[in-house]
Amino acid sequence: MTMTDKCSEGTLLLPFLDESEWIEELRIFIYLVALLWCFMGVAIIADVFMCAIETITSKTKQVKVARQDSDQVDLVEIRIWNDTVANLTLMALGSSAPEILLAIIEITILNRFNAGELGPSTIVGSAAFNLLVITGVCIMTVPAHEQRRIKSVKVFAVTASFSVLAYVWLFFALTVSSKNEIELWEAILTFLLFPVLVVIAYIADKDYCSGKISPQDPGVLELAEGSKVLKTPSHDPEVESFIKEVSRNPNLTEDEAAVLVAAHIKSKQPKNYGYYRVGAIRDLGGSHKLTPNMDPQLRLIYEELSEVGFSSSGASAIMNHALGGKVQPARVEFAAPKCAVLESDKLVRIGVTKTGNTKIPTTVNYETINGTAMAGSDYEARKDVLVFKPGETLKHVDITIIDDDEWEENEVFFIKLSRFDYKDDSVEIGGQSVTEVTIINDDEPGIFSLENPSFVIKESIGKASFKVERTQGTDGKVEVKWKTIDQTAVNGKDYHGGSGTLVFEHGEQVKYISIDIIDDKDFEKDETFIVELTETSEGAFLGNVKSAAVTIVNDDGKID
């Protein structure tokens, strides 16, 4: 089909609808949705199929293994299927089933044993992708500070050689032996190469050619689910510690303990291709992750242990908590009984610690309580919960502080912890259940002073203005009171004084005191009075020049 060919006029929705006459864009959208739906169906089928293969290849049998330090034997479980054989047969069949079925259907049904455009191309392309791209990605994803080694170099060499041989044989069969045609003997020989590959790979895996058969390493033997044997020759300290903890737990039966131990040992074994394929499909489809088959309560314990680790103390706490046994409680309290914050910081963060049993999830309440600081005007009230996940030992409570630009005394409020569920004995509130938060006022209303310590004005000026300056801060609204004091000039005769109040709004720096001067047209000596700043609002201060002498200079002419 060339780039200019159009799709056929057939229909996919019959007998329900005939969409052949619909607009092309709508048909493209419908077919895309149908294709994605088919992909989802294939993923579900592949999930079930691969799980079935995983079940088959995980079959075990019981064998007796002698202990190294005594004459006693342990009954343990080992896998029946060899990993190499399983990967080359069942796992390969499961992963390549879509390509194989596509090629078979196209050749036998659609093209009457003639190769089409999809089948062979899909198989060759998939094989090339696995050989080149997958190998390259696996190499590139190894972190720079880590190393990966091929577990069985001989098996890798065999499979890699056969992969290259497959392409050489395909080229020979299609271009040299019988051009563009596969004869019967070529097909039979191609098929027989597969069991030859399996046999040679198995021999390489078992190392039969060297004449030495490596004994089964007891350190990698795994217990089967349901086995009542709790002892294993494993040399893993974590496994041994977990076995001891499970064995002496009074809340677990012998069978339940064996199931948990078997699942843990099995989880530490190398996973085959099918395990990761099924896991990836389930992640894409949003399904549950692969977990051992067990009782729901045991499954919950196993999943929690998988998250926090199978250490002795953690295992004990989680199992007792899940099984209703007596569990050491977690202790939650504030990291400090008091803390302080500048008002301009606008946020205070208070630490809350969890000690005691840190392996269990813990939830506590917290709420703010008014002191001299009031919610809504000085801080934002909070009433919420803190959730500690297993292993978490520190959380924080964040409270918003309101910066109002008004000077005020330092103020305090409180935060209180309480249990989320008063019937839950797995958590207790420590001695520092309340913390005191001090809001430190950092507003600067300023210092207020007269511009000069003395002024000289003419009697004929009419109205005199005296400048009052605000320095070293302009926060908030401030009131400054003033008054006049008679000297040789008399209030009501030479000027109209008294007292008054200047109001500085937030940010204002200069105000003026205005006083009317009386011009009596009589010749007289110069006279004086005093203007004095007497008081400011709380938080503000008077400067060095808080009073000034005002001299009224007579500018009337002398009359004889």
Side-chain angles (χ1 to χ4, degrees):
M1 180 181 293
T2 64
M3 295 298 293
T4 58
D5 292 337
K6 294 184 178 180
C7 295
S8 63
E9 297 299 329
T11 176
L12 294 179
L13 303 182
L14 288 176
F16 306 103
L17 293 172
D18 181 4
E19 79 278 8
S20 60
E21 300 298 328
W22 295 358
I23 60 175
E24 186 174 295
E25 290 78 6
L26 180 59
R27 295 180 67 185
I28 291 174
F29 175 75
I30 293 176
Y31 297 156
L32 177 61
V33 172
L35 182 63
L36 295 177
W37 182 265
C38 292
F39 282 162
M40 183 61 69
V42 171
I44 295 173
I45 295 174
D47 186 6
V48 176
F49 184 66
M50 294 302 295
C51 285
I53 293 177
E54 176 73 14
T55 301
I56 295 173
T57 56
S58 63
K59 291 294 183 181
T60 59
K61 64 179 179 180
Q62 292 184 342
V63 296
K64 294 181 180 180
V65 178
R67 296 186 183 180
Q68 297 179 353
D69 54 352
S70 67
D71 296 334
Q72 297 180 353
V73 296
D74 288 324
L75 187 64
V76 297
E77 301 278 339
I78 62 173
R79 289 180 180 174
I80 297 176
W81 276 82
N82 177 268
D83 284 341
T84 299
V85 175
N87 286 332
L88 291 176
T89 55
L90 295 179
M91 295 300 173
L93 175 62
S95 61
S96 302
E99 299 98 301
I100 296 174
L101 292 176
L102 176 62
I104 292 175
I105 293 173
E106 184 184 41
I107 292 175
T108 59
I109 299 178
L110 300 180
N111 293 337
R112 298 182 179 181
F113 289 94
N114 292 313
E117 296 181 353
L118 290 178
S121 301
T122 302
I123 293 178
V124 175
S126 175
F129 188 87
N130 290 336
L131 177 64
L132 302 176
V133 178
I134 297 299
T135 304
V137 170
C138 291
I139 294 174
M140 292 178 62
T141 53
V142 177
H145 62 282
E146 296 183 7
Q147 294 181 347
R148 297 291 187 274
R149 292 183 174 86
I150 299 174
K151 181 180 179 181
S152 179
V153 178
K154 294 181 180 179
V155 175
F156 174 78
V158 170
T159 54
S161 300
F162 267 80
S163 297
V164 176
L165 176 63
Y167 288 102
V168 175
W169 168 247
L170 184 63
F171 176 80
F172 175 82
L174 291 176
T175 60
V176 179
S177 176
S178 54
K179 190 172 184 179
N180 295 330
E181 183 179 354
I182 298 296
E183 297 180 352
L184 181 60
W185 71 271
E186 294 172 334
I188 295 175
L189 180 58
T190 302
F191 182 79
L192 291 178
L193 286 175
F194 175 67
V196 172
L197 166 63
V198 175
V199 172
I200 295 177
Y202 179 75
I203 293 174
D205 182 48
K206 290 298 184 179
D207 205 15
Y208 287 149
C209 294
S210 64
K212 298 179 181 179
I213 301 178
S214 301
Q216 181 71 39
D217 182 5
V220 298
L221 293 177
E222 61 182 40
L223 291 171
E225 296 175 5
S227 170
K228 296 184 179 181
V229 179
L230 293 183
K231 296 181 180 179
T232 176
S234 171
H235 302 297
D236 189 334
E238 184 188 28
V239 173
E240 295 176 352
S241 175
F242 181 64
I243 291 175
K244 293 178 182 179
E245 189 64 39
V246 169
S247 300
R248 63 170 178 255
N249 192 298
N251 298 312
L252 286 172
T253 65
E254 187 178 1
D255 287 340
E256 291 172 339
V259 169
L260 286 176
V261 173
H264 178 41
I265 297 177
K266 185 176 181 180
S267 68
K268 298 177 72 65
Q269 303 304 308
K271 305 297 187 301
N272 55 32
Y273 174 77
Y275 178 88
Y276 295 108
R277 182 183 178 95
V278 174
I281 292 175
R282 291 193 171 190
D283 286 340
L284 291 175
S287 303
H288 295 292
K289 294 184 178 181
L290 291 172
T291 54
N293 292 324
M294 59 180 68
D295 178 83
Q297 188 179 34
L298 290 180
R299 183 188 301 276
L300 177 62
I301 296 175
Y302 178 80
E303 291 176 352
E304 291 186 5
L305 290 174
S306 299
E307 292 182 2
V308 303
F310 289 81
S311 63
S312 178
S313 60
S316 176
I318 289 177
M319 286 187 293
N320 285 328
H321 178 71
L323 296 170
K326 183 64 176 178
V327 61
Q328 177 190 5
R331 182 182 178 89
V332 180
E333 60 185 342
F334 286 108
K338 293 183 179 182
C339 66
V341 59
L342 292 175
E343 187 179 67
S344 59
D345 286 345
K346 300 182 180 180
L347 183 73
V348 59
R349 169 166 286 191
I350 300 99
V352 181
T353 62
K354 175 183 175 183
T355 56
N357 186 358
T358 61
K359 300 298 183 180
I360 59 175
T362 305
T363 303
V364 296
N365 295 324
Y366 71 89
E367 63 177 325
T368 55
I369 302 174
N370 287 338
T372 54
M374 305 301 293
S377 59
D378 299 308
Y379 69 95
E380 292 184 3
R382 288 289 302 273
K383 186 176 183 180
D384 208 340
V385 297
L386 277 181
V387 179
F388 288 83
K389 296 180 181 179
E392 283 189 321
T393 58
L394 178 65
K395 301 288 282 188
H396 292 92
V397 174
D398 292 336
I399 304 296
T400 300
I401 305 300
I402 299 175
D403 187 4
D404 55 11
D405 293 326
E406 294 292 336
W407 188 92
E408 50 196 348
E409 294 285 349
N410 294 343
E411 298 172 316
V412 299
F413 67 95
F414 305 91
I415 308 175
K416 179 182 178 181
L417 294 175
S418 60
R419 287 201 296 185
F420 180 76
D421 183 0
Y422 284 94
K423 297 180 181 179
D424 184 7
D425 295 330
S426 66
V427 58
E428 64 179 20
I429 305 300
Q432 294 180 174
S433 61
V434 177
T435 188
E436 177 184 303
V437 182
T438 301
I439 303 176
I440 300 175
N441 177 72
D442 56 356
D443 296 317
E444 295 293 343
I447 298 176
F448 296 84
S449 303
L450 288 161
E451 182 182 20
N452 295 306
S454 63
F455 296 90
V456 177
I457 60 175
K458 293 181 179 181
E459 186 181 57
S460 60
I461 194 173
K463 185 182 292 290
S465 296
F466 307 100
K467 186 177 181 181
V468 179
E469 297 177 324
R470 182 185 196 180
T471 59
Q472 300 185 30
T474 59
D475 290 332
K477 179 180 178 181
V478 179
E479 294 183 353
V480 180
K481 295 182 179 181
W482 60 271
K483 68 178 181 178
T484 59
I485 303 174
D486 290 346
Q487 297 295 309
T488 56
V490 179
N491 182 22
K493 177 183 178 184
D494 300 304
Y495 69 97
H496 292 297
S499 62
T501 302
L502 296 178
V503 179
F504 286 78
E505 298 294 340
H506 174 70
E508 287 187 331
Q509 294 179 294
V510 175
K511 287 285 186 178
Y512 292 90
I513 299 174
S514 295
I515 297 177
D516 293 330
I517 304 300
I518 300 174
D519 186 3
D520 55 11
K521 306 299 181 180
D522 294 330
F523 177 79
E524 52 191 348
K525 295 181 179 180
D526 296 343
E527 299 169 317
T528 63
F529 67 93
I530 294 175
V531 177
E532 181 179 358
L533 304 180
T534 60
E535 186 180 350
T536 64
S537 301
E538 188 175 12
F541 299 94
L542 294 176
N544 293 329
V545 185
K546 58 183 177 181
S547 64
V550 181
T551 301
I552 304 174
V553 178
N554 177 62
D555 57 352
D556 296 320
K558 183 176 180 181
I559 300 176
D560 295 331

